[in-house]
Amino acid sequence: VQALAARDVLMVLARPGTGKTFTLVDCVQALPKSSRILVLTFGTKAAAEVRGKLAGFGNVLVKTFHALAKGMAETHYPQASREVDPRKAWTHAKALIQNVGAHYVVASAVSLAMDLGFGLPGAPVPDGQTFAALTKHYPLRVGKGLKLDKFGEYCVRVWNACLADTDTFDYADYGYIVARDGLPPGTPQYDHVFIDEGQDTNEIQYRLLDLLWATGARMTFFGDDKQAIYGFRGACASAIEAIQRRYNA
């Protein structure tokens, strides 16, 4: 708790089974009840576990990154609650490409690019070359019958179609909207933000945290630099190092 008070950003590293979640909960419980606290997780199961351990703490909000971003996006755009098609990129790619394997990998690349913040200030421009480059760094296999130059072209077309489609929103859209448009009016000003499994953070989630940090929130990451399971959504094995560089943690 002394460390929480002394630093704007704190990193807690530990291996699986060593009690990261227990320590996170213990830290939250030790803070003054006048503090406004946000705890972010990557899965609903983890959120439910932490929420259960913090039952009775009315000053604490426990959310998944997705749920938090979705609520904020709905404030910006009420139609965002219409999650009619949770695979928007798939739908647009399928209409463009007949090859099932090809439109699957194009849709995956577009969703990944959104998680990586393509097109936002300081991020790669979503052109054919940058989409093609994704295949070198992430497990995206361009199938037979689809040349790499065509792959990039198709990705750009699907990307533009997704951005133009405001009637339906998919999983990756919510965080992107908040990163692009900022925190919506009425967002609480948190004193502390705790991030469980910080090694799984991707670029869009960093940008959401940047916005919360800019309001004065102190941030504490709990993670394991030897573990990362969200590579398919833009997290990488060096995420802990990226957090330390970004926030001087």
Side-chain angles (χ1 to χ4, degrees), residues 147-213:
K147 293 183 179 179
L148 198 57
D149 58 340
K150 276 290 185 183
F151 168 76
E153 176 190 325
Y154 284 142
C155 284
V156 171
R157 292 173 66 179
V158 172
W159 172 268
N160 290 331
C162 286
L163 291 186
D165 181 359
T166 57
D167 288 331
T168 62
F169 288 73
D170 88 351
Y171 192 94
D173 281 318
Y174 300 118
Y176 195 89
I177 288 170
V178 178
R180 184 190 64 195
D181 298 347
L183 298 177
T187 299
Q189 185 167 346
Y190 295 102
D191 299 300
H192 293 272
V193 178
F194 291 84
I195 301 93
D196 189 30
E197 304 296 354
Q199 75 277 355
D200 290 324
T201 312
N202 64 28
E203 178 62 27
I204 282 295
Q205 291 154 349
Y206 286 139
R207 290 182 182 239
L208 174 55
L209 293 173
D210 287 347
L211 294 170
L212 294 170
W213 190 36

Side-chain angles (χ1 to χ4, degrees), residues 91-109:
T91 302
H92 287 297
K94 189 175 181 180
L96 180 66
I97 311 165
Q98 297 303 312
N99 182 312
V100 175
H103 69 63
Y104 175 81
V105 74
V106 167
S108 298

Side-chain angles (χ1 to χ4, degrees), residues 128-142:
Q129 286 188 330
T130 53
F131 276 114
L134 283 179
T135 63
K136 298 179 181 178
H137 300 286
Y138 295 93
L140 295 173
R141 295 185 179 180
V142 180

